[in-house]
């Protein structure tokens, strides 16, 4: 039996890296996509190979449509058609009230978080869809609980991008269900990743985590477990769904 191939965007760190390592242990051939941090991506690949897994790093900026097309062509040439996609790549900007932000910031966030995810899903369809000669597949989009709560005074534009991902996930899932493709989303809450430092507050999870029902922030590996379930056959009757991993929020 051929090993399933999974593409994980933004897999050099955080939730993407944790997911790459976990699914490799379950027998997936892992394509580690990264934008700029080649060293971090190679470290993830090395960790997977040390445990007997198979992984390959491929650079691409998913905010650029041509690079997305080229990414999928490289995967097809190197490994074959993917059967799973995890859209983990995402960005945010420094904490700010929305009224103090500029359109260029919104465009940059949406270009990666929304349009990048949509481009990857469109290309994945060509690999997976029964109507295109594929065998079906699974897609998991990384949303955020910010899509529900809005992140006022911090990341309203980021929250809006994740709201778009929620709507897209639902609509796309219903369109492609008949082609053997399941599409779901995971909405993490306060998770210990470097993204908070990129937003200007490295200890944000420490500050807010104790206020949650579970009294703590979460780890990337805890989100990865939800993603693993959704890309596995164990979730075979689940599509157009959402799993919130947010400590009870």
């Amino acid at each position: 039996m051929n090993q399933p191939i999974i593409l994980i965007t933004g897999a050099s760190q955080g939730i993407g890296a944790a997911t790459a390592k976990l699914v490799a242990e379950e027998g997936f051939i892992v394509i580690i996509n990264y934008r700029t941090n080649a060293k971090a991506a190679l470290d993830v690949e090395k960790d997977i190979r040390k445990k007997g897994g198979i992984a390959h790093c491929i650079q691409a900026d998913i905010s650029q449509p041509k690079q997305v097309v080229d990414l999928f062509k490289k995967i097809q040439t190197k490994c074959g058609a993917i059967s799973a996609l995890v859209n983990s790549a995402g960005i945010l900007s420094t904490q700010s009230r929305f009224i103090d932000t500029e359109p260029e910031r919104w465009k940059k966030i949406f270009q990666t978080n929304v349009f990048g995810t949509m481009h990857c899903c469109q290309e994945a369809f060509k690999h997976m869809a029964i109507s295109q000669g594929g065998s079906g597949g699974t897609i998991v989009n990384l949303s955020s609980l910010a899509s529900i709560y809005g992140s006022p005074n911090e990341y309203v534009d980021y929250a809006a991008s994740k709201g778009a991902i929620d709507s897209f996930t639902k609509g796309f899932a219903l369109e492609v269900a008949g082609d053997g493709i399941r599409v779901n989303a995971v909405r993490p809450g306060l998770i210990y990743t470097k993204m908070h430092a990129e937003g200007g507050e490295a200890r944000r999870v420490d500050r807010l985590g104790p206020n949650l029902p579970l009294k703590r922030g979460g780890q990337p590996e805890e989100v990865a477990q939800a993603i693993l379930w959704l890309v596995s056959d164990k979730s075979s009757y689940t599509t157009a769904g959402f799993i919130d991993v947010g400590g009870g929020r």
Side-chain angles (χ1 to χ4, degrees):
M1 180 178 177
N2 293 330
Q3 288 179 263
I5 302 166
I6 185 170
L7 166 61
I8 305 174
T9 67
S12 64
Q13 62 182 29
I15 293 169
T19 302
K21 295 173 186 178
L22 182 62
V23 298
E25 293 176 2
E26 297 298 319
F28 283 88
I29 296 172
V30 184
I31 307 300
I32 301 164
N33 162 252
Y34 69 98
R35 181 169 61 94
T36 57
N37 197 338
K39 181 183 182 304
L42 286 169
D43 286 344
V44 175
E45 180 184 316
K46 289 176 184 176
D47 285 345
I48 290 172
R49 291 182 181 276
K50 281 181 183 178
K51 295 183 178 180
I54 302 173
H56 306 283
C57 295
I58 302 181
Q59 188 279 331
D61 181 351
I62 67 157
S63 72
Q64 304 301 312
K66 184 180 184 303
Q67 292 192 36
V68 172
V69 173
D70 290 344
L71 169 63
F72 278 82
K73 286 180 179 177
K74 289 175 183 176
I75 295 170
Q76 180 74 53
T77 300
K78 192 176 191 68
C79 301
I82 65 169
S83 60
L85 165 66
V86 177
N87 284 304
S88 180
I91 63 170
L92 50 66
S93 294
T94 305
Q95 291 170 326
S96 176
R97 295 182 71 196
F98 176 72
I99 58 171
D100 297 324
T101 63
E102 299 290 338
E104 285 306 311
R105 166 175 158 147
W106 317 336
K107 291 176 184 177
K108 184 177 180 181
I109 289 171
F110 270 67
Q111 193 65 43
T112 294
N113 295 5
V114 182
F115 303 137
T117 292
M118 293 169 75
H119 285 139
C120 287
C121 285
Q122 198 171 60
E123 290 301 310
F125 176 84
K126 300 172 185 177
H127 281 230
M128 299 176 181
I130 293 171
S131 64
Q132 303 296 308
S135 303
T138 58
I139 297 173
V140 178
N141 296 327
L142 264 290
S143 179
S144 168
L145 283 173
S147 70
I148 298 173
Y149 296 106
S151 292
N153 303 306
E154 291 187 312
Y155 309 115
V156 168
D157 44 9
Y158 171 82
S161 76
K162 293 304 185 178
I165 289 300
D166 286 359
S167 297
F168 171 71
T169 298
K170 178 68 75 170
F172 185 59
L174 299 178
E175 278 194 1
V176 301
D179 252 313
I181 302 173
R182 296 187 296 105
V183 186
N184 295 284
V186 172
R187 291 189 289 219
L190 289 165
I191 307 298
Y192 283 100
T193 70
K194 293 181 180 178
M195 182 172 276
H196 300 286
E198 294 167 1
E201 187 184 355
R203 299 184 67 83
R204 182 170 177 265
V205 179
D206 289 334
R207 174 171 64 87
L208 297 175
N211 298 324
L212 297 173
L214 288 185
K215 306 299 182 185
R216 66 176 179 86
Q219 296 297 328
E221 291 77 13
E222 293 175 296
V223 183
Q225 290 288 349
I227 296 169
L228 172 62
W229 184 74
L230 287 172
V231 299
S232 75
D233 291 338
K234 293 178 180 179
S235 62
S236 57
Y237 197 55
T238 301
T239 196
F242 299 83
I243 298 179
D244 294 346
V245 186
R249 187 180 184 192

